[in-house]
Amino acid sequence: MNIFQKRQQRLQAEMIQCGWSGFLVTQHVDMYYYTGSMQTGYLFIPAEGESLYLVRRSLARAEEEASSNVEPLGSMKTLKERLAARYPGLLDNAAAGTLRLATELDVLPVQQFQRLQAALPGAAWEDGSLLVREQRMIKSPDEVTAIRKAATVVDAALEAVIPHIREGMAEFELMALIEHQLRMRGHQGLMRMRAYNSELITGMVAAGASAAVPTYFDGPAGGTGLHPSSPQSSGRAPIRRDEPILVDLGCCIDGYLIDQTRTLVIGSLDPELQRAYEVAEQVLRATESRLQPGTISEHLYLFALDQVQEAGLSAHFMGYGADQVKFLGHGIGLEIDELPVLAKNFKYPLAPGMVIAVEPKFTFPGVGVVGIEDTYLITEDGFEKLTISREGVIII
């Protein structure tokens, strides 16, 4: 039995506890997590028995890749009959009003959901997205290996680019150099996010005042971007001497992501910014001291708030004013915004196998953003830092 089949079995065990008859996986990342393939269609996992991957395209790719039975999707009008033929007795529950099916309602478009309702009349649909996301919190050794590899790629790309950073170059030019180095080392060019209407390019690379420009993206630094149609990250502003350069990078290797931030400067930082950066490192060190199984994720954020308040920097922590974000870090894996979130009301106890990015940053409108971010694996007795890039303000 391979890792994908084992994941399906774990999901089935949870489904039985919930009283669900089946789970219809619709989102492409979840599809890959449970099958090893990301072809268009639906994956039906019954509470008991083998799964069925109904594929629109490419059927040939799915047959080659997937750890599930594969059939062509065909017409949605025949979905009920085909499931009934594959799983005798399953749809009898629909007539009795006891057929309970789950799917990922956090990402499934309403129009598509209504088509499923029409195709499977009598089914009671429930939201299974949290169950899937909680299962994905715990990474396997193979998943961690991919994230480690991504960390080495980010580090190598950053070090390759640093000698080419010069005063007057445009932010997007620096981003282009970084992306070239990442892609040449195997970065897939994708930074997937689950949240509705959220997009992320390779990273947030911006300097000085433009890094502190707020935007829709749920993060402490926005960036102007090149146009209002893509209002984040690098813009056309020139990089100037003595202003902070925020280099918040991701990298995707074999589907898995790393997330790290480093602060650079041509010359030297203003003393206020240098102090804020040092507080960010202090918050990171204090968080590390609590990265161990059993620590409640919410508590890490609350501890950080206390530190920042004591340092007199609360107004600048993780954004500024109405644009402050209310978290310290987040889980990461196939998507950038996985569980657990280090924020209020997230009560998950840390557990071995979780991978978490911790990113204390300070935003100063009209001046810039400074901070640091590292990604960690929770182990049986503490943590392993997966990011390997040098720390401290990097002087160009």
Side-chain angles (χ1 to χ4, degrees), residues 122-249:
W125 290 90
E126 302 192 26
D127 186 7
S129 56
L130 185 61
L131 190 154
V132 171
R133 297 188 71 198
E134 288 178 342
Q135 183 177 345
R136 283 177 45 191
M137 282 196 301
I138 307 299
K139 272 59 180 182
S140 69
D142 287 345
E143 291 177 292
V144 174
T145 295
I147 297 171
R148 282 200 191 97
K149 185 176 180 181
T152 65
V153 169
V154 161
D155 180 59
L158 179 62
E159 292 297 335
V161 165
I162 284 173
H164 300 282
I165 298 175
R166 67 185 188 281
E167 186 177 359
M169 73 186 303
E171 293 172 348
F172 75 84
E173 183 180 354
L174 174 55
M175 173 60 96
L177 292 175
I178 292 170
E179 287 184 311
H180 174 73
Q181 291 295 330
L182 288 171
R183 291 288 275 164
M184 291 299 291
R185 290 169 168 81
H187 170 46
Q188 292 176 204
L190 292 170
M191 298 291 292
R192 291 190 169 101
M193 295 195 69
R194 194 176 189 92
Y196 177 68
N197 269 352
S198 289
E199 299 172 313
L200 186 65
I201 56 177
T202 298
M204 215 305 289
V205 175
S210 64
V213 172
T215 190
Y216 76 98
F217 182 74
D218 192 22
T224 61
L226 292 172
H227 187 267
S229 65
S230 181
Q232 62 168 293
S233 192
S234 306
R236 295 180 172 82
I239 297 173
R240 304 184 188 280
R241 178 172 291 274
D242 299 332
E243 66 180 13
I245 308 168
L246 192 74
V247 181
D248 184 345
L249 295 179

Side-chain angles (χ1 to χ4, degrees), residues 102-119:
T103 190
E104 312 109 308
L105 293 181
D106 65 328
V107 290
L108 182 61
V110 172
Q111 185 181 69
Q112 195 67 21
F113 179 53
Q114 289 174 339
R115 292 188 67 196
L116 290 173
Q117 287 179 308

